[in-house]
Amino acid sequence: MGKTHHEQHRIQNIGWLRAAVLGANDGIISTSSLVLGVAAAHAAHGNIVLTAVAGLVAGAMSMATGEYVSVSSQADTEKAAIAEEQTEIENDHEGEHRELTMIYMHRGLDRSLAAQVAQQLMAHDAIGAHARDELGISELSTARPFQAAWASAVSFSVGAALPLVVTALVPVQSLMFSMVSATLGALAILGGIAARTGGAKVLPGIVRITFWSTLAMSFSVGVGAAFGAIT
């Protein structure tokens, strides 16, 4: 008996990779921008550190909640669609067989082969075949709310830890320069790792993340400076 052939594709990482990269990226950018905005308003060092801590905690909880609600909604939609498909299979098995046959014909099979494939797949796992080939729901794309929430909260906290450490250790006089340098360096590394893990080109990923992060920090500094000038 031949050995079972298993393949590992980068797309299998897409679920956790998306949540992890989004969380870490948001943790670094939002906390750094928050710190830079408060520092530009000439706040005391203790207040800036407190701002960084509050930003880390609030951001992690916000990311977890947002991801859980969003992915839960996706999961509910998937469950409802599968339940509806199950009812259709039970009430009109022949009609669903014809529907699946047409799907395979559109993918290049002739009618007789498409009908045979549809028949065998429905005999093996009718709902699985329709979920995958008609609804586009597969094991790789199935929504996992807890996984997404946990990954987002942890990755945000890890990302936000960098600007928090920089804020705590660097004097106010050189805080803004140190924060921008550390943030852009960390984001460039993160963008490169994410691109390589996903199989994409590294340089465009780095350029994209550093450009938009610089823009976000610039706006925050401008708001903070304007507020500091008013007060």
Side-chain angles (χ1 to χ4, degrees), residues 12-50:
Q12 294 175 342
N13 300 322
I14 195 66
W16 68 262
L17 179 62
R18 171 189 166 277
V21 170
L22 177 62
N25 179 65
D26 196 22
I28 295 174
I29 295 176
S30 61
T31 308
S32 297
S33 298
L34 191 61
V35 167
L36 288 171
V38 175
H42 309 296
H45 187 258
N47 292 335
I48 301 176
V49 173
L50 179 60

Side-chain angles (χ1 to χ4, degrees), residues 11-131:
I11 196 172
Q12 294 175 342
N13 300 322
I14 195 66
W16 68 262
L17 179 62
R18 171 189 166 277
V21 170
L22 177 62
N25 179 65
D26 196 22
I28 295 174
I29 295 176
S30 61
T31 308
S32 297
S33 298
L34 191 61
V35 167
L36 288 171
V38 175
H42 309 296
H45 187 258
N47 292 335
I48 301 176
V49 173
L50 179 60
T51 298
V53 173
L56 186 155
V57 175
M61 293 301 99
S62 176
M63 286 291 292
T65 301
E67 278 294 304
Y68 182 81
V69 171
S70 175
V71 179
S72 291
S73 297
Q74 178 186 342
D76 291 341
T77 301
E78 291 176 356
K79 290 177 182 178
I82 291 175
E84 182 179 358
E85 195 65 33
Q86 180 69 58
T87 301
E88 292 176 355
I89 292 172
E90 293 173 355
N91 295 335
D92 186 13
H93 190 275
E94 289 301 319
E96 291 300 301
H97 175 265
R98 288 193 299 270
E99 188 175 30
L100 204 57
T101 297
M102 292 300 297
I103 290 174
Y104 297 145
M105 288 177 62
H106 284 304
R107 293 181 182 178
L109 300 183
D110 59 54
R111 179 177 292 276
S112 60
L113 181 56
Q116 183 180 359
V117 171
Q119 181 179 1
Q120 292 188 5
L121 288 178
M122 289 187 69
H124 174 68
D125 181 11
I127 190 63
H130 280 272

Side-chain angles (χ1 to χ4, degrees), residues 209-220:
I209 196 171
T210 52
F211 171 79
W212 289 106
S213 300
T214 301
L215 190 63
M217 290 187 290
S218 299
F219 275 111
S220 298

